[in-house]
Amino acid sequence: MHAIEVSHISKKFGLLTALDDVNFTVSKGETFGFLGPNGAGKTTTIRILTGISTPTKGTAKIFGKDIILETTAARKQMGIVHETSNIYDDLSAWQNLMFTAELYTVAKKERELRGKDLLELFGLWERRNDKVHGFSKGMKRRLTLAMGLINNPRLLFLDEPTSGLDVQSNLIIRDVIRDLNARGVTVFLTTHNIEEANLACDRVAIINRGRIAAIDSPERLKKTIQSAQSIEVAFDPADPRRLEELIQIPGVSEVRKQGDKFRLFTEDPSEVIPAIMEYAGDHNSRVLSVTTFGPSLEDVFIKLTGLEIRTKGVSTVD
Amino acid sequence: MIPGLIAITILFSASSIEPVSIPIERRMKTFDRLVSAPVSLHAVVLGESLSGFLYSIGIAFVPLVAGLLIFGTTPLSIVPLVSGIFLTSFCFATMGTLFAAYPTESPGDIMSMLNMVRLPLIFISGVFIPLESIPFIGQVAGFFSPLTYGNDLIRAAYLGDSHFNPLIDIAMLCTFILIFQLIANRLYNKFNE
Ligand SMILES: Nc1ncnc2c1ncn2[C@@H]1O[C@H](COP(=O)(O)OP(=O)(O)OP(=O)(O)O)[C@@H](O)[C@H]1O
Ligand SMILES: [Mg+2]
């Protein structure tokens, strides 16, 4: 039995197809990332998997329970952290947490124990009796996470858990995900942050315009695009005119100048590196540093979503 | 006059809570929290209606106490009074929840829809004009208004005299509550995109 099993889900909003025949499974204990640009259908997928929204076609099962037919049973096993930090502003952090616990019928003793643990874990214990109204964005996000965990779920849905947060909040959240994973909790997270998916996820699905473009481990996804390997070289003296000369090296498909360094793209770094050394010798220059880079998940993302054409020259997606 | 005043007070107070609170919960996205919790939609609709119910019972005391203290109007029997206030409150609270199913984040949208129903109800339900003296078509329409039965029940409590048998009033109010609850359920399901 899988933690999540999605088959042939489509979702239409009027004429707009938000999800188009989406299929995937998430194993128990896995951290599964849903990576895609804005409007790709990430939130729509989570809303369907949590039974808030009904798919136009297809079925989804949570630990074997059909989310449409056995909604309550399926929901009992999950914690949800929605895209927006949805908390009651005029209640205190503690009241928000206890209210959520009651919604999930967590026994009084247990919810008080867990509530304390969670608020401490998320650094909010000192502020437990303050109204949420005055909380910062990061504090609200951390409280939302605590609320998602109050029922001790086997499966946690996180819709962009860290977007727009500072480093500290980010690190706490990333730590918590790692810890949950170690305890065998299944995590389904959406993000448009490639690095986050790369760091946190066992497997990543890349979704674009409602369709899944690829599903695999971050490393295997990177392997699918060999041509995106690259070598970064710094020469002494740094001379920007080397660009035209470096492109002549056999096996180099593209050269970009990056600050005082050059980035050479190739399918075979082992062939190109000696050629770079030879070039340096011929030109009376010293090689200060050579670094090789495998393809990044970002490269895979750009390739699969076709973003490159639209945002030519921009090399970050997030 | 006091029975009619109580009935109208309940109509307006009970049905005004959810049309305000649910759109605001939608805007704050806390509504998603409720509809994604492991509780049935029935329970959510029922729970939402409960707040309008409690609020309106509190408010209904104002004309009741004012009647007692200022006009010396005392109810004759307690059972029709309590059942009248409770059932009418719950019925209109459920109606408020039903209207709030309309998927908007602005309370004004729902309030204006609601007023198109609430205002006419006053005139066909025998509150100001006795049912006997309104035109036949109005009387027929009055049969389909829960306010008719709520008002009739509260009148029975004060005057000992009513248009219908109080048991019929109670049965009709219960039927309306059930129907509103079912329709509300369907609507929340349908609009949950
Ligand atoms: N309730 C709705 N009514 C109409 N269209 C909707 C609705 N919800 C989502 N959509 C549309 O479905 C598509 C997918 O939206 P979704 O919110 O799932 O994207 P997303 O991947 O979560 O994006 P983001 O990164 O911006 O959160 C979008 O084109 C959006 O406009
Ligand atoms: Mg989203």
Side-chain angles (χ1 to χ4, degrees):
Chain A
M1 186 173 61
H2 289 103
I4 306 177
E5 200 177 333
V6 171
S7 55
H8 303 291
I9 289 238
S10 296
K11 178 72 186 178
K12 289 204 166 97
F13 294 108
L15 289 176
L16 178 103
T17 304
L19 292 177
D20 188 5
D21 196 40
V22 168
N23 295 284
F24 64 89
T25 55
V26 177
S27 308
K28 281 187 207 166
E30 198 174 20
T31 299
F32 188 84
F34 228 49
L35 179 64
N38 293 137
K42 303 183 293 295
T43 300
T44 305
T45 306
I46 287 203
R47 289 175 72 84
I48 289 174
L49 292 179
T50 53
I52 299 179
S53 167
T54 333
T56 314
K57 267 213 309 262
T59 57
K61 284 187 179 153
I62 307 293
F63 294 109
K65 303 261 189 298
D66 190 299
I67 189 64
I68 301 166
L69 304 174
E70 302 161 273
T71 315
T72 310
R75 281 177 180 170
K76 280 220 168 92
Q77 336 214 24
M78 55 171 84
I80 312 169
V81 176
H82 297 269
E83 190 169 27
T84 12
S85 296
N86 49 354
I87 35 196
Y88 292 94
D89 264 357
D90 37 6
L91 298 183
S92 69
W94 182 254
Q95 287 168 329
N96 265 293
L97 207 50
M98 291 304 110
F99 172 69
T100 314
E102 283 175 54
L103 271 182
Y104 284 80
T105 54
V106 182
K108 189 167 162 64
K109 246 219 157 83
E110 197 193 330
R111 67 175 178 249
E112 284 176 354
L113 279 174
R114 278 191 71 75
K116 180 165 191 284
D117 284 351
L118 284 168
L119 286 185
E120 279 172 352
L121 175 65
F122 287 104
L124 293 169
W125 179 245
E126 275 72 46
R127 305 290 302 268
R128 66 188 175 281
N129 292 321
D130 294 357
K131 286 206 168 140
V132 170
H133 191 71
F135 279 21
S136 75
K137 185 175 173 176
M139 290 164 73
K140 286 185 177 171
R141 200 68 188 139
R142 294 193 311 245
L143 178 59
T144 313
L145 249 109
M147 286 160 83
L149 289 168
I150 191 75
N151 63 326
N152 205 2
R154 294 166 77 191
L155 166 63
L156 183 66
F157 286 101
L158 297 166
D159 199 350
E160 302 199 12
T162 59
S163 96
L165 299 189
D166 70 2
V167 179
Q168 195 206 354
S169 294
N170 241 312
L171 285 179
I172 296 180
I173 291 174
R174 205 164 283 163
D175 261 9
V176 169
I177 296 176
R178 200 166 301 142
D179 185 54
L180 286 171
N181 200 229
R183 285 178 15 221
V185 175
T186 310
V187 178
F188 181 100
L189 68 86
T190 74
T191 177
H192 49 203
N193 184 327
I194 290 158
E195 203 37 41
E196 180 172 5
N198 188 26
L199 285 176
C201 300
D202 297 313
R203 279 194 312 142
V204 174
I206 294 180
I207 180 169
N208 190 33
R209 284 182 243 164
R211 282 171 166 277
I212 291 195
I215 304 182
D216 220 325
S217 67
E219 286 312 310
R220 298 245 305 257
L221 281 174
K222 288 176 203 167
K223 285 221 173 68
T224 58
I225 47 161
Q226 285 305 324
S227 61
Q229 295 187 76
S230 58
I231 305 161
E232 196 182 75
V233 210
F235 293 101
D236 179 32
D239 183 350
R241 281 168 306 172
R242 295 183 200 280
L243 204 64
E244 291 89 53
E245 296 159 7
L246 288 170
I247 191 77
Q248 307 296 334
I249 296 176
V252 174
S253 56
E254 190 190 343
V255 182
R256 282 187 211 155
K257 196 180 149 319
Q258 290 183 334
D260 61 345
K261 297 180 268 297
F262 295 93
R263 186 100 168 222
L264 289 74
F265 288 83
T266 175
E267 277 181 42
D268 190 0
S270 59
E271 182 194 325
V272 174
I273 290 170
I276 292 171
M277 295 305 175
E278 203 179 307
Y279 162 88
D282 290 352
H283 290 77
N284 279 330
S285 342
R286 238 159 31 95
V287 172
L288 286 178
S289 72
V290 180
T291 319
T292 59
F293 292 95
S296 69
L297 199 53
E298 181 172 308
D299 297 319
V300 183
F301 187 81
I302 289 173
K303 187 172 172 209
L304 288 174
T305 58
L307 270 177
E308 196 165 33
I309 307 138
R310 278 181 280 151
T311 59
K312 210 168 176 128
V314 180
S315 55
T316 48
V317 174
D318 184 16
Chain B
M1 189 188 75
I2 295 297
L5 213 56
I6 294 179
I8 291 181
T9 307
I10 293 177
L11 164 68
F12 278 93
S13 55
S15 60
S16 291
I17 300 297
E18 271 49 64
V20 176
S21 74
I22 291 183
I24 291 175
E25 285 217 40
R26 277 202 192 95
R27 195 183 304 158
M28 303 298 295
K29 308 290 176 203
T30 47
F31 195 65
D32 280 351
R33 199 174 272 291
L34 299 181
V35 296
S36 62
V39 287
S40 70
L41 204 56
H42 275 287
V44 173
V45 170
L46 214 65
E48 289 285 352
S49 308
L50 214 59
S51 57
F53 168 69
L54 292 174
Y55 172 73
S56 127
I57 286 180
I59 297 287
F61 268 96
V62 176
L64 199 148
V65 172
L68 273 177
L69 298 181
I70 303 169
F71 305 103
T73 326
T74 42
L76 299 173
S77 44
I78 197 79
V79 175
L81 181 73
V82 170
S83 54
I85 290 179
F86 274 51
L87 287 176
T88 314
S89 294
F90 200 65
C91 185
F92 287 120
T94 315
M95 187 174 96
T97 312
L98 189 160
F99 274 80
Y102 181 74
T104 175
E105 295 183 355
S106 143
D109 291 352
I110 295 170
M111 277 304 189
S112 49
M113 283 195 318
L114 195 58
N115 279 337
M116 295 208 304
V117 174
R118 286 195 300 199
L119 295 176
L121 278 192
I122 298 174
F123 296 101
I124 57 165
S125 304
V127 178
F128 295 128
I129 318 157
L131 278 179
E132 295 84 4
S133 46
I134 57 173
F136 179 69
I137 183 93
Q139 283 189 32
V140 173
F143 282 124
F144 297 98
S145 156
L147 187 61
T148 304
Y149 308 100
N151 180 58
D152 200 44
L153 199 54
I154 297 169
R155 253 171 53 113
Y158 273 90
L159 309 172
D161 149 53
S162 57
H163 191 80
F164 303 101
N165 182 323
L167 287 178
I168 293 189
D169 289 330
I170 291 177
M172 286 309 283
L173 282 171
C174 291
T175 311
F176 274 109
I177 292 173
L178 203 71
I179 293 174
F180 286 162
Q181 164 96 25
L182 288 176
I183 300 177
N185 251 302
R186 296 210 89 150
L187 289 181
Y188 279 100
N189 243 327
K190 175 171 148 39
F191 286 129
N192 252 342
E193 290 220 308

